[in-house]
Amino acid sequence: MYPEASAVQQVDLAFLVIFGISVAILALITGSMLWFLWRYHHTRNPKAADIHGNLWVEIAWFVVPCFIVTAMFFYGWKSFQALRTVPDDAMDVRVTARMWSWSFAYDNGKTSDTLVVPVDTPVKLSMTSLDVIHSFYVPAFRIKMDTVPGMDTYAWFRPEEEGEFDILCAEYCGVRHAYMLATARIVSREEFDAWYAGDKAMAPAPGRELVQSYGCVSCHSLDGSEGLGPTFQGLAGRETIIEENGRARTIPASPDYIRRSITHPNEELVQGFAPMMPSYEQDMPAQDLERIVDFLVFSDREPLPDGKMVLSDNGCLACHSTDGSVIAAPSLKDIFGSVRQVRAGDEPRQVRADRAYILESIVDPGKLVTEGWDPIMPPYDTLTQQDLDAVLEYLRSISSHAEEQ
Ligand code: CUA
């Protein structure tokens, strides 16, 4: 009927056809009941009739339902096909379900707890579950697909307008099933590209902003390219030949040297550069100076991701709160350094939540289970060391038990 109709239109059409047929049958049955009531009322038919067989009625109630069922099948099959046939140019997103959250991973390694996709682009969702069966359900896109542990399933959709749409879990999966929600954010192509290329939940590097706002980068490049001053790339510990009072000397670019180069730039001048940098001694607050030195010393080190984002992207916050409230697992607030009653199997024990304990609780959560809680957390052994470090850093920051080890 609509050869070029979208999957959404096909699904709606199938619903409409079935609904239309149902209404027609309802009207037919109710109508004939009323008509029979009137037509065969005992005042009009004082003597009961005994009727046997009617070939045409029998043919009709065989043939008509056959047509009805065939029509329902036809439209249902068409919509099913539309839902199962993924366009070749579809963008891939990997969906992971777990009790009780969704996470979305993109081809470039980006992960998110929100499904962000560009408008008018077909999107293929490859899904799996880490624990029990869930069901990925987006009413607005007319898709619902079970996610099954150890098995890959898929669905696809083509968002037609920008906006935010609800993602639900449509398969009962435990106490927090009703809260297993997420959002599909449909954005313009430009907005998506910017989001997609953006940092993978990186913590802001204040030093990087400062070297830009103080104008340092107009002479000192960050990427190794030539400028009026030496590049910042690989600066930390670099063997640097300086000229001091006309004499050449080789020194490593220590934090101290970097600090002196900012406050007294022309005293230990790097060989081959002119003494033209102004001193920042007067107009750079000590705090900014330290941040810049820090940035230059550690600029080769990848900045840690934001620990809270790692927790939220991996669905941890669906069960663990960070403000002390109880969801479905112990809150993470004040966990670092706290003393905990745990069970190793059936044996009760007391441990201090230090770095080793927390790492073990993430990678092998069934080993020591906090007293009063069920061992329902799946192991998170796919987190990178960087992610784990970031999480520990974050947990330390929301803990009042200062002394740790
Ligand atoms: Cu997951 Cu219900």
Side-chain angles (χ1 to χ4, degrees):
M1 194 171 179
Y2 296 123
E4 298 303 325
S6 71
V8 167
Q9 284 167 320
Q10 300 271 16
V11 171
D12 286 354
L13 182 63
F15 268 98
L16 195 67
V17 167
I18 294 172
F19 181 70
I21 291 174
S22 306
V23 169
I25 292 177
L26 177 72
L28 198 71
I29 292 176
T30 315
S32 10
M33 263 167 54
L34 294 173
W35 187 74
F36 274 73
L37 263 180
W38 179 83
R39 172 68 185 77
Y40 296 105
H41 193 263
H42 70 92
T43 53
R44 254 168 243 95
N45 304 272
K47 198 164 177 301
D50 189 10
I51 299 165
H52 287 273
N54 184 320
L55 183 64
W56 288 110
V57 171
E58 282 180 36
I59 290 175
W61 80 43
F62 173 74
V63 172
V64 173
C66 273
F67 272 112
I68 290 175
V69 171
T70 309
M72 286 183 177
F73 175 80
F74 175 76
Y75 288 105
W77 175 252
K78 294 266 289 182
S79 68
F80 177 74
Q81 264 190 325
L83 288 172
R84 299 316 287 164
T85 316
V86 184
D88 290 337
D89 57 342
M91 184 182 107
D92 279 304
V93 180
R94 179 113 201 112
V95 180
T96 306
R98 59 164 69 88
M99 293 188 277
W100 290 276
S101 65
W102 301 101
S103 73
F104 305 94
Y106 293 76
D107 280 347
N108 69 351
K110 199 175 173 80
T111 59
S112 169
D113 59 352
T114 302
L115 175 61
V116 181
V117 285
V119 71
D120 278 331
T121 307
V123 179
K124 180 182 180 185
L125 306 164
S126 317
M127 313 182 193
T128 194
S129 164
L130 295 183
D131 34 48
V132 299
I133 298 179
H134 303 270
S135 187
F136 183 88
Y137 180 33
V138 191
F141 305 153
R142 311 292 193 272
I143 53 174
K144 184 197 274 174
M145 178 52 64
D146 278 9
T147 66
V148 185
M151 188 176 147
D152 276 3
T153 52
Y154 73 91
W156 80 278
F157 65 98
R158 185 197 302 272
E160 288 164 9
E161 51 187 86
E162 294 176 25
E164 297 199 340
F165 303 93
D166 293 332
I167 298 172
L168 302 93
C169 177
E171 183 67 55
Y172 182 69
C173 56
V175 287
R176 300 276 301 167
H177 159 70
Y179 298 91
M180 191 167 163
L181 309 168
T183 302
R185 197 150 65 82
I186 312 305
V187 297
S188 66
R189 177 40 84 171
E190 299 77 53
E191 196 180 331
F192 175 79
D193 287 342
W195 176 86
Y196 191 64
D199 283 344
K200 194 189 148 203
M202 289 298 175
R208 178 181 289 270
E209 278 169 34
L210 288 173
V211 293
Q212 270 153 1
S213 59
Y214 277 101
C216 316
V217 292
S218 53
C219 294
H220 302 275
S221 76
L222 289 168
D223 59 0
S225 57
E226 269 185 43
L228 290 174
T231 179
F232 282 156
Q233 194 190 47
L235 176 62
R238 182 163 71 199
E239 294 294 319
T240 305
I241 302 173
I242 56 163
E243 284 180 28
E244 209 180 8
N245 306 322
R247 284 216 332 261
R249 195 153 65 90
T250 306
I251 59 160
S254 65
D256 255 352
Y257 168 74
I258 295 174
R259 208 172 284 122
R260 289 201 303 277
S261 306
I262 298 172
T263 53
H264 303 86
N266 299 319
E267 285 181 22
E268 298 161 288
L269 201 62
V270 178
Q271 202 169 46
F273 291 94
M276 57 185 294
M277 173 171 157
S279 165
Y280 282 83
E281 193 174 20
Q282 301 304 322
D283 43 22
M284 186 183 283
Q287 198 191 18
D288 286 1
L289 177 64
E290 285 319 307
R291 280 191 177 154
I292 288 181
V293 171
D294 229 49
F295 169 65
L296 294 178
V297 171
F298 293 115
S299 60
D300 291 339
R301 200 186 67 175
E302 285 247 312
L304 280 184
D306 179 342
K308 187 159 189 187
M309 289 293 277
V310 174
L311 290 172
S312 111
D313 286 346
N314 285 286
C316 314
L317 303 183
C319 296
H320 299 278
S321 80
T322 57
D323 60 2
S325 60
V326 171
I327 308 178
S331 173
L332 299 177
K333 186 169 169 28
D334 289 335
I335 204 168
F336 205 107
S338 65
V339 174
R340 319 201 48 87
Q341 306 296 332
V342 297
R343 265 172 297 122
D346 284 335
E347 180 204 334
R349 256 203 250 170
Q350 202 178 59
V351 292
R352 175 172 285 273
D354 56 10
R355 190 184 159 83
Y357 166 80
I358 290 177
L359 284 178
E360 186 184 81
S361 307
I362 297 172
V363 186
D364 188 5
K367 208 163 153 194
L368 296 176
V369 180
T370 303
E371 199 66 65
W373 297 95
D374 290 327
I376 56 172
M377 172 170 159
Y380 284 67
D381 42 14
T382 53
L383 290 177
T384 64
Q385 190 56 48
Q386 245 205 341
D387 285 346
L388 291 171
D389 283 347
V391 167
L392 281 161
E393 193 78 2
Y394 172 71
L395 293 182
R396 193 177 308 206
S397 77
I398 57 168
S399 172
S400 57
H401 310 278
E403 84 287 25
E404 34 84 22
Q405 60 100 30

